Amino acid sequence: MADSKPHSKFNTQNLFFFGCFIYFFVTNSIFSDESKLTAKQARILKDTFVYLESLEPKKIKIDRSTYNRHSQFESFFKFPFSGKKLSRWIQSRIKKFNYGSTGDYVAMYQDGEVLLGRGFFSLNRLDRILVLLHEARHADGKNYRHVECPDDFPFLNTRDWKIHPAGKKGCDSVPDGGYGITASFLFELGAYGYLNQTEAAYRYNSEISRVIRD
Ligand SMILES: [Zn+2]
């Protein structure tokens, strides 16, 4: 989201009015076409949660030592893998969904609300869950803000190759940010056989590529 620019030239009073103007301008320019979800969009969103709530732990399909080595879901979320709990986790963080233009993004979080772009509704249900999970993490504050990806960031954006994450605020420096938690969720889907290992690993690696350690 737009950052405010430095206002060093202004005195405090001007800063206040200028700040209000900027706020007004930014609010109106970015969210000018924001609207409630249509009935069809609301149904797609509801279907997303219904699908998420159907994902519950069954018998683990991979060997236990691999599971123990890579499973991070419980340490991140503080509860064992459960789609129903995860649905509540998301809905306790996102109070309202709107529809509007989101530029290069599929969705944007601000103050308890998520703005969903047109692209969200054409994603498959699993990708829609990943988007919601990611955005819900932004509700947990500044610790989970993105950092700039390195200038030599080598990985492709999985959804749109025209979007280059290098040098953009599209990475995380913490293991349990928006990308780390989606990776941990995908790992469980692979472990419980909801995704085959190839797809789970491809998707897991793609999310985890955005978690950078320096
Ligand atoms: Zn984000």
Side-chain angles (χ1 to χ4, degrees):
M1 293 300 303
D3 290 323
S4 49
K5 298 195 174 80
H7 312 290
S8 52
K9 276 188 288 186
F10 297 89
N11 67 30
T12 317
Q13 196 182 24
N14 281 341
L15 181 65
F16 176 75
F17 289 117
F18 190 60
C20 290
F21 173 74
I22 286 286
Y23 177 75
F24 180 79
F25 179 75
V26 167
T27 306
N28 279 277
S29 64
I30 292 178
F31 294 119
S32 58
D33 67 342
E34 174 179 321
S35 60
K36 282 171 132 179
L37 302 187
T38 64
K40 188 178 175 204
Q41 289 169 338
R43 196 169 60 244
I44 291 172
L45 186 62
K46 187 165 188 294
D47 287 348
T48 312
F49 284 112
V50 169
Y51 173 57
L52 173 59
E53 288 166 21
S54 75
L55 304 172
E56 292 298 326
K58 304 176 290 192
K59 197 171 161 354
I60 290 178
K61 300 275 179 25
I62 61 173
D63 67 277
R64 178 56 74 170
S65 71
T66 304
Y67 182 81
N68 291 342
R69 188 185 182 102
H70 288 286
S71 178
Q72 292 188 289
F73 186 96
E74 191 165 353
S75 74
F76 290 168
F77 289 98
K78 316 298 178 210
F79 54 82
F81 178 71
S82 158
K84 287 190 184 66
K85 285 190 175 163
L86 207 47
S87 177
R88 282 200 290 277
W89 187 91
I90 293 171
Q91 292 180 74
S92 69
R93 284 165 172 75
I94 304 175
K95 301 298 181 195
K96 200 173 166 204
F97 294 93
N98 290 311
Y99 170 70
S101 64
T102 49
D104 274 353
Y105 301 93
V106 177
M108 292 193 294
Y109 173 88
Q110 192 176 47
D111 298 332
E113 297 189 16
V114 164
L115 187 66
L116 300 170
R118 183 191 304 270
F120 176 83
F121 299 97
S122 48
L123 295 175
N124 66 49
R125 57 192 186 169
L126 176 56
D127 280 313
R128 293 198 302 266
I129 292 175
L130 298 181
V131 170
L132 297 179
L133 256 180
H134 177 107
E135 296 303 324
R137 187 46 128 184
H138 285 305
D140 292 330
K142 60 180 179 4
N143 288 350
Y144 298 107
R145 278 193 199 143
H146 298 308
V147 298
E148 282 183 9
C149 300
D151 287 334
D152 59 353
F153 189 76
F155 303 102
L156 292 170
N157 184 311
T158 49
R159 292 197 190 94
D160 185 347
W161 286 19
K162 290 192 297 300
I163 299 170
H164 308 289
K168 297 204 185 88
K169 285 203 168 181
C171 284
D172 282 336
S173 58
V174 290
D176 59 345
Y179 292 106
I181 61 167
T182 45
S184 76
F185 170 69
L186 289 163
F187 178 79
E188 300 297 316
L189 295 190
Y192 287 111
Y194 284 109
L195 292 178
N196 68 51
Q197 286 193 14
T198 303
E199 186 178 5
Y202 149 72
R203 286 172 161 281
Y204 173 91
N205 288 347
S206 162
E207 298 296 310
I208 215 98
S209 74
R210 299 298 189 97
V211 182
I212 54 171
R213 289 154 228 263
D214 41 20

mmCIF file with all atom_site columns, all heavy atoms in Angstrom, residues 107-132:
data_model
loop_
_atom_site.group_PDB
_atom_site.id
_atom_site.type_symbol
_atom_site.label_atom_id
_atom_site.label_alt_id
_atom_site.label_comp_id
_atom_site.label_asym_id
_atom_site.label_entity_id
_atom_site.label_seq_id
_atom_site.pdbx_PDB_ins_code
_atom_site.Cartn_x
_atom_site.Cartn_y
_atom_site.Cartn_z
_atom_site.occupancy
_atom_site.B_iso_or_equiv
_atom_site.pdbx_formal_charge
_atom_site.auth_seq_id
_atom_site.auth_comp_id
_atom_site.auth_asym_id
_atom_site.auth_atom_id
_atom_site.pdbx_PDB_model_num
ATOM 1   N N   . ALA A 1 107 ? -5.101  -9.417  -4.084  1.00 0.00 ? 107 ALA A N   1
ATOM 2   C CA  . ALA A 1 107 ? -5.889  -8.935  -2.946  1.00 0.00 ? 107 ALA A CA  1
ATOM 3   C C   . ALA A 1 107 ? -5.013  -7.995  -2.117  1.00 0.00 ? 107 ALA A C   1
ATOM 4   O O   . ALA A 1 107 ? -3.790  -8.053  -2.192  1.00 0.00 ? 107 ALA A O   1
ATOM 5   C CB  . ALA A 1 107 ? -6.347  -10.109 -2.095  1.00 0.00 ? 107 ALA A CB  1
ATOM 6   N N   . MET A 1 108 ? -5.658  -7.131  -1.350  1.00 0.00 ? 108 MET A N   1
ATOM 7   C CA  . MET A 1 108 ? -4.913  -6.232  -0.474  1.00 0.00 ? 108 MET A CA  1
ATOM 8   C C   . MET A 1 108 ? -5.614  -6.145  0.878   1.00 0.00 ? 108 MET A C   1
ATOM 9   O O   . MET A 1 108 ? -6.837  -6.076  0.942   1.00 0.00 ? 108 MET A O   1
ATOM 10  C CB  . MET A 1 108 ? -4.841  -4.822  -1.089  1.00 0.00 ? 108 MET A CB  1
ATOM 11  C CG  . MET A 1 108 ? -3.991  -4.773  -2.340  1.00 0.00 ? 108 MET A CG  1
ATOM 12  S SD  . MET A 1 108 ? -3.591  -3.099  -2.864  1.00 0.00 ? 108 MET A SD  1
ATOM 13  C CE  . MET A 1 108 ? -5.178  -2.481  -3.312  1.00 0.00 ? 108 MET A CE  1
ATOM 14  N N   . TYR A 1 109 ? -4.788  -6.130  1.926   1.00 0.00 ? 109 TYR A N   1
ATOM 15  C CA  . TYR A 1 109 ? -5.334  -6.039  3.289   1.00 0.00 ? 109 TYR A CA  1
ATOM 16  C C   . TYR A 1 109 ? -5.196  -4.614  3.810   1.00 0.00 ? 109 TYR A C   1
ATOM 17  O O   . TYR A 1 109 ? -4.160  -3.983  3.626   1.00 0.00 ? 109 TYR A O   1
ATOM 18  C CB  . TYR A 1 109 ? -4.556  -6.978  4.222   1.00 0.00 ? 109 TYR A CB  1
ATOM 19  C CG  . TYR A 1 109 ? -4.969  -6.809  5.672   1.00 0.00 ? 109 TYR A CG  1
ATOM 20  C CD1 . TYR A 1 109 ? -6.041  -7.544  6.185   1.00 0.00 ? 109 TYR A CD1 1
ATOM 21  C CD2 . TYR A 1 109 ? -4.339  -5.889  6.496   1.00 0.00 ? 109 TYR A CD2 1
ATOM 22  C CE1 . TYR A 1 109 ? -6.453  -7.359  7.492   1.00 0.00 ? 109 TYR A CE1 1
ATOM 23  C CE2 . TYR A 1 109 ? -4.751  -5.705  7.807   1.00 0.00 ? 109 TYR A CE2 1
ATOM 24  C CZ  . TYR A 1 109 ? -5.802  -6.439  8.302   1.00 0.00 ? 109 TYR A CZ  1
ATOM 25  O OH  . TYR A 1 109 ? -6.219  -6.257  9.588   1.00 0.00 ? 109 TYR A OH  1
ATOM 26  N N   . GLN A 1 110 ? -6.218  -4.104  4.464   1.00 0.00 ? 110 GLN A N   1
ATOM 27  C CA  . GLN A 1 110 ? -6.082  -2.835  5.173   1.00 0.00 ? 110 GLN A CA  1
ATOM 28  C C   . GLN A 1 110 ? -7.119  -2.757  6.291   1.00 0.00 ? 110 GLN A C   1
ATOM 29  O O   . GLN A 1 110 ? -8.320  -2.884  6.056   1.00 0.00 ? 110 GLN A O   1
ATOM 30  C CB  . GLN A 1 110 ? -6.272  -1.655  4.212   1.00 0.00 ? 110 GLN A CB  1
ATOM 31  C CG  . GLN A 1 110 ? -5.851  -0.345  4.866   1.00 0.00 ? 110 GLN A CG  1
ATOM 32  C CD  . GLN A 1 110 ? -5.940  0.838   3.915   1.00 0.00 ? 110 GLN A CD  1
ATOM 33  O OE1 . GLN A 1 110 ? -6.935  1.018   3.225   1.00 0.00 ? 110 GLN A OE1 1
ATOM 34  N NE2 . GLN A 1 110 ? -4.892  1.638   3.879   1.00 0.00 ? 110 GLN A NE2 1
ATOM 35  N N   . ASP A 1 111 ? -6.619  -2.545  7.505   1.00 0.00 ? 111 ASP A N   1
ATOM 36  C CA  . ASP A 1 111 ? -7.481  -2.307  8.669   1.00 0.00 ? 111 ASP A CA  1
ATOM 37  C C   . ASP A 1 111 ? -8.623  -3.320  8.809   1.00 0.00 ? 111 ASP A C   1
ATOM 38  O O   . ASP A 1 111 ? -9.787  -2.945  8.926   1.00 0.00 ? 111 ASP A O   1
ATOM 39  C CB  . ASP A 1 111 ? -8.080  -0.889  8.612   1.00 0.00 ? 111 ASP A CB  1
ATOM 40  C CG  . ASP A 1 111 ? -6.993  0.170   8.665   1.00 0.00 ? 111 ASP A CG  1
ATOM 41  O OD1 . ASP A 1 111 ? -5.933  -0.098  9.256   1.00 0.00 ? 111 ASP A OD1 1
ATOM 42  O OD2 . ASP A 1 111 ? -7.203  1.274   8.109   1.00 0.00 ? 111 ASP A OD2 1
ATOM 43  N N   . GLY A 1 112 ? -8.304  -4.566  8.787   1.00 0.00 ? 112 GLY A N   1
ATOM 44  C CA  . GLY A 1 112 ? -9.325  -5.585  9.023   1.00 0.00 ? 112 GLY A CA  1
ATOM 45  C C   . GLY A 1 112 ? -10.180 -5.910  7.806   1.00 0.00 ? 112 GLY A C   1
ATOM 46  O O   . GLY A 1 112 ? -11.078 -6.740  7.875   1.00 0.00 ? 112 GLY A O   1
ATOM 47  N N   . GLU A 1 113 ? -9.904  -5.207  6.698   1.00 0.00 ? 113 GLU A N   1
ATOM 48  C CA  . GLU A 1 113 ? -10.686 -5.471  5.493   1.00 0.00 ? 113 GLU A CA  1
ATOM 49  C C   . GLU A 1 113 ? -9.773  -5.959  4.380   1.00 0.00 ? 113 GLU A C   1
ATOM 50  O O   . GLU A 1 113 ? -8.616  -5.539  4.292   1.00 0.00 ? 113 GLU A O   1
ATOM 51  C CB  . GLU A 1 113 ? -11.391 -4.197  5.020   1.00 0.00 ? 113 GLU A CB  1
ATOM 52  C CG  . GLU A 1 113 ? -12.379 -3.678  6.026   1.00 0.00 ? 113 GLU A CG  1
ATOM 53  C CD  . GLU A 1 113 ? -13.233 -2.539  5.472   1.00 0.00 ? 113 GLU A CD  1
ATOM 54  O OE1 . GLU A 1 113 ? -13.290 -2.342  4.240   1.00 0.00 ? 113 GLU A OE1 1
ATOM 55  O OE2 . GLU A 1 113 ? -13.830 -1.856  6.304   1.00 0.00 ? 113 GLU A OE2 1
ATOM 56  N N   . VAL A 1 114 ? -10.305 -6.805  3.541   1.00 0.00 ? 114 VAL A N   1
ATOM 57  C CA  . VAL A 1 114 ? -9.535  -7.266  2.389   1.00 0.00 ? 114 VAL A CA  1
ATOM 58  C C   . VAL A 1 114 ? -10.260 -6.866  1.114   1.00 0.00 ? 114 VAL A C   1
ATOM 59  O O   . VAL A 1 114 ? -11.471 -7.069  0.972   1.00 0.00 ? 114 VAL A O   1
ATOM 60  C CB  . VAL A 1 114 ? -9.281  -8.790  2.442   1.00 0.00 ? 114 VAL A CB  1
ATOM 61  C CG1 . VAL A 1 114 ? -8.838  -9.326  1.087   1.00 0.00 ? 114 VAL A CG1 1
ATOM 62  C CG2 . VAL A 1 114 ? -8.206  -9.102  3.482   1.00 0.00 ? 114 VAL A CG2 1
ATOM 63  N N   . LEU A 1 115 ? -9.486  -6.239  0.256   1.00 0.00 ? 115 LEU A N   1
ATOM 64  C CA  . LEU A 1 115 ? -10.003 -5.865  -1.056  1.00 0.00 ? 115 LEU A CA  1
ATOM 65  C C   . LEU A 1 115 ? -9.605  -6.980  -2.026  1.00 0.00 ? 115 LEU A C   1
ATOM 66  O O   . LEU A 1 115 ? -8.421  -7.290  -2.169  1.00 0.00 ? 115 LEU A O   1
ATOM 67  C CB  . LEU A 1 115 ? -9.381  -4.533  -1.477  1.00 0.00 ? 115 LEU A CB  1
ATOM 68  C CG  . LEU A 1 115 ? -9.916  -3.886  -2.742  1.00 0.00 ? 115 LEU A CG  1
ATOM 69  C CD1 . LEU A 1 115 ? -11.379 -3.464  -2.552  1.00 0.00 ? 115 LEU A CD1 1
ATOM 70  C CD2 . LEU A 1 115 ? -9.073  -2.660  -3.113  1.00 0.00 ? 115 LEU A CD2 1
ATOM 71  N N   . LEU A 1 116 ? -10.597 -7.600  -2.632  1.00 0.00 ? 116 LEU A N   1
ATOM 72  C CA  . LEU A 1 116 ? -10.333 -8.694  -3.568  1.00 0.00 ? 116 LEU A CA  1
ATOM 73  C C   . LEU A 1 116 ? -10.420 -8.160  -4.996  1.00 0.00 ? 116 LEU A C   1
ATOM 74  O O   . LEU A 1 116 ? -11.387 -7.473  -5.345  1.00 0.00 ? 116 LEU A O   1
ATOM 75  C CB  . LEU A 1 116 ? -11.364 -9.811  -3.366  1.00 0.00 ? 116 LEU A CB  1
ATOM 76  C CG  . LEU A 1 116 ? -11.391 -10.449 -1.967  1.00 0.00 ? 116 LEU A CG  1
ATOM 77  C CD1 . LEU A 1 116 ? -12.617 -11.354 -1.826  1.00 0.00 ? 116 LEU A CD1 1
ATOM 78  C CD2 . LEU A 1 116 ? -10.113 -11.241 -1.713  1.00 0.00 ? 116 LEU A CD2 1
ATOM 79  N N   . GLY A 1 117 ? -9.404  -8.435  -5.788  1.00 0.00 ? 117 GLY A N   1
ATOM 80  C CA  . GLY A 1 117 ? -9.408  -8.016  -7.193  1.00 0.00 ? 117 GLY A CA  1
ATOM 81  C C   . GLY A 1 117 ? -10.124 -9.038  -8.058  1.00 0.00 ? 117 GLY A C   1
ATOM 82  O O   . GLY A 1 117 ? -10.444 -10.141 -7.617  1.00 0.00 ? 117 GLY A O   1
ATOM 83  N N   . ARG A 1 118 ? -10.340 -8.658  -9.295  1.00 0.00 ? 118 ARG A N   1
ATOM 84  C CA  . ARG A 1 118 ? -11.044 -9.543  -10.240 1.00 0.00 ? 118 ARG A CA  1
ATOM 85  C C   . ARG A 1 118 ? -10.377 -10.916 -10.329 1.00 0.00 ? 118 ARG A C   1
ATOM 86  O O   . ARG A 1 118 ? -11.040 -11.947 -10.389 1.00 0.00 ? 118 ARG A O   1
ATOM 87  C CB  . ARG A 1 118 ? -11.020 -8.875  -11.619 1.00 0.00 ? 118 ARG A CB  1
ATOM 88  C CG  . ARG A 1 118 ? -11.767 -9.625  -12.698 1.00 0.00 ? 118 ARG A CG  1
ATOM 89  C CD  . ARG A 1 118 ? -11.446 -9.034  -14.065 1.00 0.00 ? 118 ARG A CD  1
ATOM 90  N NE  . ARG A 1 118 ? -11.735 -7.598  -14.115 1.00 0.00 ? 118 ARG A NE  1
ATOM 91  C CZ  . ARG A 1 118 ? -12.920 -7.103  -14.486 1.00 0.00 ? 118 ARG A CZ  1
ATOM 92  N NH1 . ARG A 1 118 ? -13.879 -7.910  -14.841 1.00 0.00 ? 118 ARG A NH1 1
ATOM 93  N NH2 . ARG A 1 118 ? -13.114 -5.807  -14.504 1.00 0.00 ? 118 ARG A NH2 1
ATOM 94  N N   . GLY A 1 119 ? -9.022  -10.911 -10.303 1.00 0.00 ? 119 GLY A N   1
ATOM 95  C CA  . GLY A 1 119 ? -8.267  -12.153 -10.461 1.00 0.00 ? 119 GLY A CA  1
ATOM 96  C C   . GLY A 1 119 ? -8.574  -13.188 -9.389  1.00 0.00 ? 119 GLY A C   1
ATOM 97  O O   . GLY A 1 119 ? -8.513  -14.393 -9.649  1.00 0.00 ? 119 GLY A O   1
ATOM 98  N N   . PHE A 1 120 ? -8.923  -12.728 -8.205  1.00 0.00 ? 120 PHE A N   1
ATOM 99  C CA  . PHE A 1 120 ? -9.188  -13.661 -7.100  1.00 0.00 ? 120 PHE A CA  1
ATOM 100 C C   . PHE A 1 120 ? -10.266 -14.671 -7.475  1.00 0.00 ? 120 PHE A C   1
ATOM 101 O O   . PHE A 1 120 ? -10.154 -15.857 -7.174  1.00 0.00 ? 120 PHE A O   1
ATOM 102 C CB  . PHE A 1 120 ? -9.602  -12.881 -5.844  1.00 0.00 ? 120 PHE A CB  1
ATOM 103 C CG  . PHE A 1 120 ? -9.993  -13.755 -4.688  1.00 0.00 ? 120 PHE A CG  1
ATOM 104 C CD1 . PHE A 1 120 ? -9.024  -14.286 -3.846  1.00 0.00 ? 120 PHE A CD1 1
ATOM 105 C CD2 . PHE A 1 120 ? -11.331 -14.069 -4.448  1.00 0.00 ? 120 PHE A CD2 1
ATOM 106 C CE1 . PHE A 1 120 ? -9.380  -15.111 -2.781  1.00 0.00 ? 120 PHE A CE1 1
ATOM 107 C CE2 . PHE A 1 120 ? -11.692 -14.885 -3.386  1.00 0.00 ? 120 PHE A CE2 1
ATOM 108 C CZ  . PHE A 1 120 ? -10.713 -15.400 -2.553  1.00 0.00 ? 120 PHE A CZ  1
ATOM 109 N N   . PHE A 1 121 ? -11.293 -14.178 -8.147  1.00 0.00 ? 121 PHE A N   1
ATOM 110 C CA  . PHE A 1 121 ? -12.464 -15.013 -8.394  1.00 0.00 ? 121 PHE A CA  1
ATOM 111 C C   . PHE A 1 121 ? -12.256 -16.012 -9.531  1.00 0.00 ? 121 PHE A C   1
ATOM 112 O O   . PHE A 1 121 ? -13.080 -16.899 -9.732  1.00 0.00 ? 121 PHE A O   1
ATOM 113 C CB  . PHE A 1 121 ? -13.698 -14.126 -8.627  1.00 0.00 ? 121 PHE A CB  1
ATOM 114 C CG  . PHE A 1 121 ? -13.982 -13.273 -7.427  1.00 0.00 ? 121 PHE A CG  1
ATOM 115 C CD1 . PHE A 1 121 ? -13.536 -11.958 -7.371  1.00 0.00 ? 121 PHE A CD1 1
ATOM 116 C CD2 . PHE A 1 121 ? -14.635 -13.795 -6.319  1.00 0.00 ? 121 PHE A CD2 1
ATOM 117 C CE1 . PHE A 1 121 ? -13.761 -11.172 -6.254  1.00 0.00 ? 121 PHE A CE1 1
ATOM 118 C CE2 . PHE A 1 121 ? -14.857 -13.021 -5.186  1.00 0.00 ? 121 PHE A CE2 1
ATOM 119 C CZ  . PHE A 1 121 ? -14.412 -11.706 -5.150  1.00 0.00 ? 121 PHE A CZ  1
ATOM 120 N N   . SER A 1 122 ? -11.167 -15.843 -10.278 1.00 0.00 ? 122 SER A N   1
ATOM 121 C CA  . SER A 1 122 ? -10.895 -16.850 -11.313 1.00 0.00 ? 122 SER A CA  1
ATOM 122 C C   . SER A 1 122 ? -9.821  -17.848 -10.875 1.00 0.00 ? 122 SER A C   1
ATOM 123 O O   . SER A 1 122 ? -9.464  -18.750 -11.631 1.00 0.00 ? 122 SER A O   1
ATOM 124 C CB  . SER A 1 122 ? -10.530 -16.184 -12.646 1.00 0.00 ? 122 SER A CB  1
ATOM 125 O OG  . SER A 1 122 ? -9.578  -15.183 -12.456 1.00 0.00 ? 122 SER A OG  1
ATOM 126 N N   . LEU A 1 123 ? -9.324  -17.691 -9.660  1.00 0.00 ? 123 LEU A N   1
ATOM 127 C CA  . LEU A 1 123 ? -8.367  -18.683 -9.143  1.00 0.00 ? 123 LEU A CA  1
ATOM 128 C C   . LEU A 1 123 ? -9.097  -19.973 -8.780  1.00 0.00 ? 123 LEU A C   1
ATOM 129 O O   . LEU A 1 123 ? -10.307 -19.960 -8.525  1.00 0.00 ? 123 LEU A O   1
ATOM 130 C CB  . LEU A 1 123 ? -7.692  -18.151 -7.875  1.00 0.00 ? 123 LEU A CB  1
ATOM 131 C CG  . LEU A 1 123 ? -6.799  -16.921 -8.004  1.00 0.00 ? 123 LEU A CG  1
ATOM 132 C CD1 . LEU A 1 123 ? -6.330  -16.482 -6.614  1.00 0.00 ? 123 LEU A CD1 1
ATOM 133 C CD2 . LEU A 1 123 ? -5.607  -17.219 -8.898  1.00 0.00 ? 123 LEU A CD2 1
ATOM 134 N N   . ASN A 1 124 ? -8.348  -21.069 -8.696  1.00 0.00 ? 124 ASN A N   1
ATOM 135 C CA  . ASN A 1 124 ? -8.986  -22.284 -8.191  1.00 0.00 ? 124 ASN A CA  1
ATOM 136 C C   . ASN A 1 124 ? -9.114  -22.174 -6.659  1.00 0.00 ? 124 ASN A C   1
ATOM 137 O O   . ASN A 1 124 ? -8.535  -21.280 -6.038  1.00 0.00 ? 124 ASN A O   1
ATOM 138 C CB  . ASN A 1 124 ? -8.223  -23.543 -8.632  1.00 0.00 ? 124 ASN A CB  1
ATOM 139 C CG  . ASN A 1 124 ? -6.840  -23.619 -8.011  1.00 0.00 ? 124 ASN A CG  1
ATOM 140 O OD1 . ASN A 1 124 ? -6.691  -23.454 -6.794  1.00 0.00 ? 124 ASN A OD1 1
ATOM 141 N ND2 . ASN A 1 124 ? -5.823  -23.853 -8.820  1.00 0.00 ? 124 ASN A ND2 1
ATOM 142 N N   . ARG A 1 125 ? -9.887  -23.061 -6.076  1.00 0.00 ? 125 ARG A N   1
ATOM 143 C CA  . ARG A 1 125 ? -10.247 -22.895 -4.655  1.00 0.00 ? 125 ARG A CA  1
ATOM 144 C C   . ARG A 1 125 ? -9.035  -22.984 -3.733  1.00 0.00 ? 125 ARG A C   1
ATOM 145 O O   . ARG A 1 125 ? -8.975  -22.297 -2.708  1.00 0.00 ? 125 ARG A O   1
ATOM 146 C CB  . ARG A 1 125 ? -11.339 -23.893 -4.252  1.00 0.00 ? 125 ARG A CB  1
ATOM 147 C CG  . ARG A 1 125 ? -10.955 -25.339 -4.499  1.00 0.00 ? 125 ARG A CG  1
ATOM 148 C CD  . ARG A 1 125 ? -12.162 -26.252 -4.367  1.00 0.00 ? 125 ARG A CD  1
ATOM 149 N NE  . ARG A 1 125 ? -11.702 -27.640 -4.470  1.00 0.00 ? 125 ARG A NE  1
ATOM 150 C CZ  . ARG A 1 125 ? -12.456 -28.678 -4.197  1.00 0.00 ? 125 ARG A CZ  1
ATOM 151 N NH1 . ARG A 1 125 ? -13.706 -28.513 -3.792  1.00 0.00 ? 125 ARG A NH1 1
ATOM 152 N NH2 . ARG A 1 125 ? -11.976 -29.894 -4.310  1.00 0.00 ? 125 ARG A NH2 1
ATOM 153 N N   . LEU A 1 126 ? -8.037  -23.791 -4.107  1.00 0.00 ? 126 LEU A N   1
ATOM 154 C CA  . LEU A 1 126 ? -6.853  -23.883 -3.251  1.00 0.00 ? 126 LEU A CA  1
ATOM 155 C C   . LEU A 1 126 ? -6.065  -22.566 -3.283  1.00 0.00 ? 126 LEU A C   1
ATOM 156 O O   . LEU A 1 126 ? -5.638  -22.058 -2.242  1.00 0.00 ? 126 LEU A O   1
ATOM 157 C CB  . LEU A 1 126 ? -5.954  -25.052 -3.691  1.00 0.00 ? 126 LEU A CB  1
ATOM 158 C CG  . LEU A 1 126 ? -4.635  -25.181 -2.916  1.00 0.00 ? 126 LEU A CG  1
ATOM 159 C CD1 . LEU A 1 126 ? -4.873  -25.292 -1.407  1.00 0.00 ? 126 LEU A CD1 1
ATOM 160 C CD2 . LEU A 1 126 ? -3.839  -26.382 -3.419  1.00 0.00 ? 126 LEU A CD2 1
ATOM 161 N N   . ASP A 1 127 ? -5.899  -21.999 -4.473  1.00 0.00 ? 127 ASP A N   1
ATOM 162 C CA  . ASP A 1 127 ? -5.195  -20.716 -4.554  1.00 0.00 ? 127 ASP A CA  1
ATOM 163 C C   . ASP A 1 127 ? -5.967  -19.616 -3.826  1.00 0.00 ? 127 ASP A C   1
ATOM 164 O O   . ASP A 1 127 ? -5.365  -18.721 -3.231  1.00 0.00 ? 127 ASP A O   1
ATOM 165 C CB  . ASP A 1 127 ? -4.951  -20.322 -6.020  1.00 0.00 ? 127 ASP A CB  1
ATOM 166 C CG  . ASP A 1 127 ? -3.757  -21.066 -6.601  1.00 0.00 ? 127 ASP A CG  1
ATOM 167 O OD1 . ASP A 1 127 ? -2.717  -21.110 -5.928  1.00 0.00 ? 127 ASP A OD1 1
ATOM 168 O OD2 . ASP A 1 127 ? -3.876  -21.617 -7.695  1.00 0.00 ? 127 ASP A OD2 1
ATOM 169 N N   . ARG A 1 128 ? -7.285  -19.710 -3.859  1.00 0.00 ? 128 ARG A N   1
ATOM 170 C CA  . ARG A 1 128 ? -8.072  -18.693 -3.122  1.00 0.00 ? 128 ARG A CA  1
ATOM 171 C C   . ARG A 1 128 ? -7.814  -18.815 -1.624  1.00 0.00 ? 128 ARG A C   1
ATOM 172 O O   . ARG A 1 128 ? -7.686  -17.812 -0.926  1.00 0.00 ? 128 ARG A O   1
ATOM 173 C CB  . ARG A 1 128 ? -9.572  -18.842 -3.435  1.00 0.00 ? 128 ARG A CB  1
ATOM 174 C CG  . ARG A 1 128 ? -9.922  -18.505 -4.877  1.00 0.00 ? 128 ARG A CG  1
ATOM 175 C CD  . ARG A 1 128 ? -11.419 -18.243 -5.045  1.00 0.00 ? 128 ARG A CD  1
ATOM 176 N NE  . ARG A 1 128 ? -12.255 -19.359 -4.645  1.00 0.00 ? 128 ARG A NE  1
ATOM 177 C CZ  . ARG A 1 128 ? -12.719 -20.306 -5.465  1.00 0.00 ? 128 ARG A CZ  1
ATOM 178 N NH1 . ARG A 1 128 ? -12.430 -20.275 -6.747  1.00 0.00 ? 128 ARG A NH1 1
ATOM 179 N NH2 . ARG A 1 128 ? -13.491 -21.282 -5.001  1.00 0.00 ? 128 ARG A NH2 1
ATOM 180 N N   . ILE A 1 129 ? -7.708  -20.042 -1.125  1.00 0.00 ? 129 ILE A N   1
ATOM 181 C CA  . ILE A 1 129 ? -7.395  -20.220 0.305   1.00 0.00 ? 129 ILE A CA  1
ATOM 182 C C   . ILE A 1 129 ? -6.029  -19.618 0.614   1.00 0.00 ? 129 ILE A C   1
ATOM 183 O O   . ILE A 1 129 ? -5.861  -18.921 1.619   1.00 0.00 ? 129 ILE A O   1
ATOM 184 C CB  . ILE A 1 129 ? -7.404  -21.723 0.698   1.00 0.00 ? 129 ILE A CB  1
ATOM 185 C CG1 . ILE A 1 129 ? -8.818  -22.279 0.617   1.00 0.00 ? 129 ILE A CG1 1
ATOM 186 C CG2 . ILE A 1 129 ? -6.843  -21.903 2.120   1.00 0.00 ? 129 ILE A CG2 1
ATOM 187 C CD1 . ILE A 1 129 ? -8.888  -23.791 0.862   1.00 0.00 ? 129 ILE A CD1 1
ATOM 188 N N   . LEU A 1 130 ? -5.052  -19.866 -0.262  1.00 0.00 ? 130 LEU A N   1
ATOM 189 C CA  . LEU A 1 130 ? -3.695  -19.339 -0.013  1.00 0.00 ? 130 LEU A CA  1
ATOM 190 C C   . LEU A 1 130 ? -3.720  -17.813 0.069   1.00 0.00 ? 130 LEU A C   1
ATOM 191 O O   . LEU A 1 130 ? -3.062  -17.212 0.923   1.00 0.00 ? 130 LEU A O   1
ATOM 192 C CB  . LEU A 1 130 ? -2.723  -19.807 -1.098  1.00 0.00 ? 130 LEU A CB  1
ATOM 193 C CG  . LEU A 1 130 ? -2.513  -21.323 -1.224  1.00 0.00 ? 130 LEU A CG  1
ATOM 194 C CD1 . LEU A 1 130 ? -1.502  -21.629 -2.327  1.00 0.00 ? 130 LEU A CD1 1
ATOM 195 C CD2 . LEU A 1 130 ? -2.053  -21.948 0.091   1.00 0.00 ? 130 LEU A CD2 1
ATOM 196 N N   . VAL A 1 131 ? -4.483  -17.195 -0.811  1.00 0.00 ? 131 VAL A N   1
ATOM 197 C CA  . VAL A 1 131 ? -4.587  -15.727 -0.795  1.00 0.00 ? 131 VAL A CA  1
ATOM 198 C C   . VAL A 1 131 ? -5.199  -15.250 0.526   1.00 0.00 ? 131 VAL A C   1
ATOM 199 O O   . VAL A 1 131 ? -4.690  -14.317 1.164   1.00 0.00 ? 131 VAL A O   1
ATOM 200 C CB  . VAL A 1 131 ? -5.432  -15.226 -1.995  1.00 0.00 ? 131 VAL A CB  1
ATOM 201 C CG1 . VAL A 1 131 ? -5.753  -13.738 -1.852  1.00 0.00 ? 131 VAL A CG1 1
ATOM 202 C CG2 . VAL A 1 131 ? -4.701  -15.490 -3.312  1.00 0.00 ? 131 VAL A CG2 1
ATOM 203 N N   . LEU A 1 132 ? -6.270  -15.911 0.954   1.00 0.00 ? 132 LEU A N   1
ATOM 204 C CA  . LEU A 1 132 ? -6.936  -15.485 2.187   1.00 0.00 ? 132 LEU A CA  1
ATOM 205 C C   . LEU A 1 132 ? -6.032  -15.672 3.407   1.00 0.00 ? 132 LEU A C   1
ATOM 206 O O   . LEU A 1 132 ? -5.951  -14.810 4.287   1.00 0.00 ? 132 LEU A O   1
ATOM 207 C CB  . LEU A 1 132 ? -8.250  -16.266 2.390   1.00 0.00 ? 132 LEU A CB  1
ATOM 208 C CG  . LEU A 1 132 ? -9.319  -16.053 1.308   1.00 0.00 ? 132 LEU A CG  1
ATOM 209 C CD1 . LEU A 1 132 ? -10.541 -16.899 1.614   1.00 0.00 ? 132 LEU A CD1 1
ATOM 210 C CD2 . LEU A 1 132 ? -9.706  -14.582 1.193   1.00 0.00 ? 132 LEU A CD2 1
#
